[in-house]
Amino acid sequence: MPHARALPLTRRGLLAAGGTLGLGAALAACGGGTGEDGGSGEGTAAGRSGPWSFTDDRGTTVRLGKVPANIVAFTGVGAALYDYGIQVKGVFGPTRTKDGRADVQAGDMDVSKVTVLGNSWGQFSVEKYAALAPDVLISTMFDSVGTLWYVPDESKKKIAQLAPSVGVSVYDRQLTRPLQRMWELAESLGADMKAAEVTAAKKRFEEASARLRAAAKAKPGLKVMAGSASDQLFYVSGTHLSVDLEYFKALGVDFVEPPESAKEQGGWYESLSWENVDKYPADIIMMDDRASALQPAGITKATWRRLPAVKAGQVIARSPEPILSYGKCVPLLNGLAVALEKAKKVR
């Protein structure tokens, strides 16, 4: 889990308040959907009217009589599928900002055309979910036991009765692995993976990866810190566990690495008081771009303003929950590459 301070996997949020009239009947009508363990991890689709199966990253194979049409997904997953031409019916997770605009995790989706089951942690309307007559639920997973991201513990059994689920792991692996899995999933759902815009996006991703590798090699003395902010604390992520940071590190980027003994929430991050925000010297700071985090423009702490990287203007955005389409990951790679190319050592 990418240091979501208020959202630890060990402390699931409360289900959004709401009535449950008619839910029992909906559960009975929809049934549970069947899944079985094992399989190769491959997805198959025999035309839009044929049978469908997909083996997810839990090793669970979901088999249906037809390719799913009523798809409900975590917002970021819905955004990735949208990039491949698959439109989901419902989403859960950060979808709209307070002023009604599309959240950064919604990507290019038209959020007015999807049913939002919950916009924040712990919110998931089971009644709305049942009304969609879902064929499958798809989410990411940020742990080793297959916990579906943003599916509340308090209602997960009811949710599981309504439709089978597919999980794509983004835990302790490089970005290229979940990108490939999302590609396979989209293809199984009927996406045209040979479309010019799809293949071009993958090529741009490969080119951006090469650019970042070259930039890191050219500036070996630069140290990068991945941070996130709240009113009370500053959080420093290590590269271990995070798909983006693990990949960037593999390309040669030199990151600040908090010691394991200092990390919290299963090893994701270290939290620092604002008085100690200068604990780890860095030349470039990557800051969490999610709506749940305090953005750099809103940080008024004097200790933050005094950081050499801040004074030098060497602060860039980071997406700890990247949208898993090749096209959406290109700017993440290029943004860091440009920062490295332009940065000077300030420690």
Side-chain angles (χ1 to χ4, degrees):
M1 179 190 59
H3 62 269
R5 285 89 47 207
L7 319 179
L9 288 169
T10 55
R11 183 164 59 88
R12 309 290 284 187
L14 296 175
L15 180 68
T20 57
L21 292 176
L23 178 57
L27 290 168
C30 292
T34 58
E36 52 190 73
D37 292 333
S40 64
E42 298 179 351
T44 60
R48 297 303 297 179
S49 60
W52 179 85
S53 70
F54 190 84
T55 301
D56 72 1
D57 289 338
R58 298 170 297 185
T60 298
T61 300
V62 176
R63 303 184 193 278
L64 298 174
K66 62 178 181 178
V67 176
N70 293 344
I71 301 169
V72 173
F74 172 68
T75 301
V77 172
L81 292 176
Y82 182 87
D83 285 353
Y84 293 132
I86 304 297
Q87 176 69 58
V88 302
K89 295 294 181 66
V91 295
F92 53 95
T95 307
R96 296 190 182 98
T97 59
K98 292 180 180 179
D99 59 5
R101 294 179 299 168
D103 188 273
V104 64
Q105 294 191 63
D108 293 331
M109 279 195 304
D110 184 345
V111 297
S112 69
K113 294 183 179 180
V114 294
T115 298
V116 181
L117 307 180
N119 198 60
S120 61
W121 188 257
Q123 294 181 353
F124 191 114
S125 173
V126 183
E127 284 189 300
K128 286 184 179 180
Y129 182 54
L132 290 174
D135 294 322
V136 67
L137 178 147
I138 309 172
S139 190
T140 47
M141 302 180 297
F142 281 92
D143 62 16
S144 61
V145 297
T147 305
L148 296 172
W149 191 232
Y150 268 79
V151 174
D153 273 345
E154 292 78 8
S155 54
K156 66 181 181 182
K157 290 184 179 179
K158 291 179 180 179
I159 293 168
Q161 287 180 282
L162 289 164
S165 62
V166 167
V168 176
S169 180
V170 287
Y171 176 77
D172 194 17
R173 60 200 62 204
Q174 293 181 25
L175 179 60
T176 45
R177 285 182 63 187
L179 275 174
Q180 180 60 31
R181 294 297 283 139
M182 193 62 69
W183 175 287
E184 293 166 359
L185 178 58
E187 186 173 36
S188 80
L189 293 169
D192 180 4
M193 309 313 285
K194 294 182 180 180
E197 61 270 25
V198 174
T199 57
K202 191 171 185 179
K203 183 179 180 181
R204 290 198 308 274
F205 176 87
E206 293 165 352
E207 293 170 345
S209 296
R211 179 181 182 179
L212 180 55
R213 186 188 296 276
K217 185 176 182 180
K219 296 285 189 74
L222 295 180
K223 183 74 76 171
V224 180
M225 179 166 64
S228 185
S230 71
D231 287 332
Q232 301 300 318
L233 295 169
F234 184 83
Y235 307 87
V236 181
S237 290
T239 58
H240 182 52
L241 304 182
S242 296
V243 291
D244 61 330
L245 301 184
E246 285 202 10
Y247 186 53
F248 300 158
K249 182 179 180 180
L251 293 174
V253 180
D254 186 10
F255 282 95
V256 167
E257 299 281 5
E260 291 301 317
S261 59
K263 292 180 183 178
E264 305 165 40
Q265 293 303 327
W268 285 97
Y269 59 83
E270 177 183 0
S271 58
L272 302 173
S273 67
W274 282 104
E275 289 75 16
N276 295 315
V277 72
D278 60 352
K279 180 177 179 179
Y280 299 109
D283 302 298
I284 297 172
I285 303 176
M286 302 177 70
M287 291 295 289
D288 187 342
D289 68 355
R290 294 173 297 178
S292 60
L294 181 63
Q295 297 304 301
I299 301 175
T300 59
K301 307 291 185 181
T303 49
W304 165 259
R305 295 197 300 269
R306 288 197 295 266
L307 292 177
V310 176
K311 292 170 68 176
Q314 295 177 177
V315 178
I316 64 172
R318 175 199 171 206
S319 298
E321 295 182 59
I323 294 172
L324 297 173
S325 71
Y326 286 101
K328 287 296 184 294
C329 289
V330 169
L332 311 184
L333 291 157
N334 281 335
L336 181 52
V338 169
L340 287 169
E341 291 163 358
K342 294 181 176 180
K344 59 182 179 180
K345 191 172 182 179
V346 295
R347 288 175 292 137

